[in-house]
Amino acid sequence: MGRSLRLSFRTGVPLRIHRGFDFRASRRQAPKIDAGLPRGCSMKRSVAVFLAVVALACAAAADLKGLGTLAGAVIGANGKPIVDARVTSQGADGTDPQSTTTNEQGRFFFPQLKNGYYDVRAYHNGAWTDWKHNIEVKTGKQTEVKLQLPARTKKSK
């Protein structure tokens, strides 16, 4: 038993137990442990950061250009809902005019409007409501508006 047992300088386990260890190979210096990320990950990390920034930018852009709804009711001077009133909506700058009519409950809807400011008014039996200006329509939200027709004036002879 003149043979001495050599232990691994890293693990303290006898070398003959290590599989794949070549006893004839020259001693190499142990590899250094790098606490940071491997250099191959820098490209992956850069791509991941880029994709995260793009995703946030797309979410912000979608928020600004999303769709909302303008809805409300047209009521008469007596406070009762007006059926079949013509409601007109347009951008606050006068662009994109649209119209619709009220339903049996005096309600109207302008679905899928771009995020922004709108003007709206109603017409029924020769009477107009005042314009409601700069009504903000927000993405994913329904903006409610109440339009009241004025009392009919009797014509004098």
Side-chain angles (χ1 to χ4, degrees):
M1 286 192 66
R3 196 169 161 208
S4 65
L5 186 62
R6 290 180 34 193
L7 298 176
S8 168
F9 62 95
R10 286 188 289 171
T11 62
V13 177
L15 289 175
R16 63 186 153 102
I17 295 176
H18 288 288
R19 293 191 179 153
F21 187 84
D22 186 7
F23 290 104
R24 293 179 212 108
S26 63
R27 285 188 114 178
R28 293 181 287 160
Q29 188 176 6
K32 293 182 181 179
I33 297 174
D34 187 9
L37 292 173
R39 291 180 189 209
C41 287
S42 65
M43 182 65 156
K44 291 178 185 175
R45 185 174 56 223
S46 298
V47 170
V49 169
F50 174 75
L51 291 176
V53 169
V54 168
L56 288 173
C58 288
D63 215 17
L64 293 175
K65 297 186 184 220
L67 301 175
T69 303
L70 179 61
V74 178
I75 58 173
N78 58 2
K80 293 186 179 179
I82 303 294
V83 179
D84 291 327
R86 171 72 52 193
V87 182
T88 303
S89 168
Q90 64 185 21
D93 58 355
T95 59
D96 299 325
Q98 300 179 35
S99 67
T100 188
T101 56
T102 56
N103 62 14
E104 294 81 29
Q105 292 84 31
R107 304 234 353 121
F108 64 90
F109 300 94
F110 290 101
Q112 299 182 348
L113 295 176
K114 293 179 184 176
N115 185 33
Y117 292 92
Y118 292 85
D119 297 338
V120 64
R121 77 183 209 178
Y123 172 82
H124 187 261
N125 282 344
W128 290 92
T129 64
D130 291 331
W131 279 103
K132 295 276 187 166
H133 293 284
N134 296 320
I135 299 167
E136 184 176 12
V137 173
K138 295 182 181 180
T139 302
K141 305 284 183 188
Q142 179 168 305
T143 304
E144 289 285 329
V145 178
K146 182 176 162 184
L147 301 172
Q148 185 166 8
L149 288 165
R152 290 192 64 149
T153 59
K154 294 183 180 180
K155 295 182 182 178
S156 60
K157 292 185 180 182

